[in-house]
Amino acid sequence: MQISRNHRTNQTFLQIKPGLFLSAILIVLLAMGGCVQPKHTAVDSAQRMLPMVNNPHLPEVIIALINQSDEQYFKHDLSAALATLERAVRIDPRLPEVWSRMAQVYLDQGKLEQARQHAKRSNSVLKNNMALKDFNDNIISGKPMESSN
Amino acid sequence: MTHSKPKSTPKTKPRQKYSKKEYSKKKSSKKTPPNKKRAKKKPPNKKKNNKAKKNSVSLSRILFNRYSLLGLFVLSIIFSGYLFYLNIKITDKMSGRIWSLPSHVYARPLELYQGKYLTVQQLQSELKQLEYTQVKNRPTKAGQFRVLNNAHFEIISRDFTFWDGQQKSQGIRLSIVNNKLSALHKLYSDESLALFRLDPVKIAGIYPATQQERQLIKLDEVPDDLVLALLAVEDRRFYQHWGIDPRSILRALLANVVAGGTVQGGSTLTQQLVKNLFLSPERTLTRKINEALMALLVEINYDKSVILETYINEVYLGQNGAQQIHGFELASQYYFASSLKKLRRDQMALLVGLVKGPSWYAPRRHKTRAVERRNQVLKLMLERGALSQAQFNKYRALDLGLANKPRFSSNRFPALIELVKRQLQSDYDEDDLKSSGLNVFTSIDPQIQAQAEASVLRVISQLEKSNNKVENLQTAFIVASSQQGEIQAMVSDRQPSFPGFNRSLDAVRQIGSLIKPAIYLTALQQPQNYTLASVLDDSPLHIKTTRDDTWSPQNYDKKFSGNILLHKALEKSRNVPTVRLGLEVGLADISDALQNLGVTRNIPAYPSMTLGAFNLSPFDVANMYQTFAANGFNVPLKVIREVLNKEGRPLKRYPLKSNKAIDEKAIYLINHSLHQVTQTGTAKSLAKNLPLTVAGKTGTTDDLRDSWFAGFTNEQLAVVWIGRDDNTSTGLTGSSGALRLWTDFFQRQEDNGGINSFSLEPPAGINKVWIDEKTGGLSEKNCLGAVELPFIQGSEPTEKAACKSAGIIEQIKRFFK
């Protein structure tokens, strides 16, 4: 009895609702695509966007924290990347490289106003680093650079 | 009870339920008129009486049989329902979150890296607060450290879950030379480390209304002797009974009758647990019945080991101020500053003895009673074979062995924790905060807090001692990081650990001259109209406020200096030129500037606002001055960095948010002047008392009611208010009161490791020009009365002032400057 009832159910499912089944698969695939697609974009843009650190006077501790935050950034853990950069700011708030990175992470999070604000903070402590100034100015003006390298 | 029911039931029950015969009998009886019914009660003769009796008996038997069964059935349904309800109540609590877990608040983690300002004492203090154990030989376990030659540390950190994941225990070694961390390596290795983050100090808990702290312990970690003593004293037949124990009840009853009062309780551990977890403490029959029913249900639902473990973690064992001590592990920490596992058997006996009456036997208050009770428990342990006679004799002669001080205090930093709570309340409701076991990571720095508290204690009493008229002073003191706006320390009472009125947050007082930088900033944001060299009028001023009223502001020294340059008026905190300037630039614009600086309160636009005749709290003032300290970037002050749930999973981060609302060039001009305040102005005592470049402003209100100082470096901002709760005169100006406390704190900061000076490096777009101090015209370095001032590019004066050569001594002085 049980087997035949199950059999009947399966038959009904396959016979009557294949369209619904296929639609559901399609919706799931689209949803997955929707979730995954922006992440790929974020990776690509991230790899293009992070400014070079070419300040030979950066303390070892700051370099270590920047590297750690970059690692988190490329793993799309933007919140952790920001938290790590804040640790660097606490140690020395006068380093434009750190503020610019924070601006970039905010940009990737879609928080444009905070991205601009942090780019301004970078500019406020910046000296003679035109590449970084361009980077910041582009964020402030709402036109992020295609590539900083 | 069972008989009354059937008698009344027929009136309410449907007739169909009767058999035909019964129904006819019932019907006939019903037809009987009332007087006949009464007559029935007094039978005319015996025969009739017997017949009637027979009828009545058979009727009641039938009714009893039928309706008593029905009644019993209904009762049993109701009773089952009630049991079901009780069972749900029990399983809900015992299978879910039995206890409200308080949220725990952590200080900032100490970051260790080469070049960090750090003294040996500070690191030792940090490790002590973390409860790391100092060892003489090489540390081998997590949570141990040793110090060599008072400079080299070897530390094995503990595992800790931060926002960015778990940090495993690691061995490190480091050296401190001249108050700086000079080298950081892995322990027993030459591999250097760029950075190491110590686990943060837990500084407080946010408790439920019942103020219950918890330190849970698993049953297999509980010493056998404690379990044995507990069962010997409280429930000998724990493993034999089903939640209630009639034998114990009888024994207790007998003992109580013999003693003529309550000397023994018959409650089992399960009953006690049920009482503590689910029931109110009153002694009523209903509660007793509920207790027994629930105890049975608990026994049906749970294993004995679960019941015992729950009891051990639940039982109430004392009071620490407002905080209740629940569970043996926490009680062990509270009374002996040790974990339960490490206790001696006499100490365990004391804890077990306390179950009977934690207040009556409170060991710190009633030592004799406590010793007596402990010895009773020891005797029971002896009887149960847990102790030998020799051990019993030894233990009963011992002192209670209490720790001098509780290892934890309910709340060491009440003002700060209040701030933490308020900032959390926007994201979490009160109940979650007090019961979900959140882990709250903050920017609180225990070292800085300790220095702030020490400065408050020392300076407030000094101020009162040095002036007989000054008494009952109160204070609020806030320290924050300048660039991130993170609160590091806060004191809201002259007794810093007193948890009363939070003056830092809630004492809204007139700010006096602390307003002035906002007015001058409003002016300097118009470089075409105002510069530091603008000439202001410091002559008598009369402002008509109403038809009959005139306001005539005065300078603090009651004198007028005629013409005065704008920068000088700010540095010397001259009132009259400030009022004139404020009215010129417009009160509305000043309100806007205050908003841009981070002041969120509504400020009334009256002329007297230009002299700070409006109320702000010290916290508001700190928000305002943070914007100066961070060169025009307003960062709303915050104390929370991250929140993790009780399992250590990230819940919410409170990121650094900046808002640049003020041009950095205008801010620089103000900061330049605020630095001059500390050199030649109202806070010039700082120039000789503090070897640091700082900027700041004094504030004094009418009748010397409030004494303020707000000052900063690039790293740190501190605001001090000193006043009296009844708002009467303190006899102190900003310089003679608040500034002294501020100076003491920064001196201490400087001595204990040091902080960097305030940077006076101008931003792009600022030119420095020599001008004549009297006229504000262009001058030259070697001219008499010349002073170098910064100007926003394009706003420099163009008219030249007459130059009289400065004397050779003056020129030499300037050369060295």
Side-chain angles (χ1 to χ4, degrees), chain B residues 221 223 225-226 328-352 395 400-403:
Chain B
E221 293 169 345
D225 286 330
L226 185 121
F328 278 97
E329 177 60 36
L330 187 67
S332 172
Q333 301 278 358
Y334 177 61
Y335 292 113
F336 304 114
S338 161
S339 71
L340 194 59
K341 283 180 272 185
K342 292 180 186 167
L343 290 191
R344 292 194 313 260
R345 278 185 277 189
D346 60 303
Q347 293 172 316
M348 291 181 201
L350 176 66
L351 293 186
V352 169
Y395 287 136
L400 287 176
L402 298 172

Side-chain angles (χ1 to χ4, degrees), chain B residues 84 106 137 156 163 167 335 379 644 721:
Chain B
F84 186 66
Y106 291 89
N137 300 320
I156 302 183
W163 170 267
Q167 184 177 286
Y335 292 113
K379 199 172 174 198
L644 271 62
W721 168 83

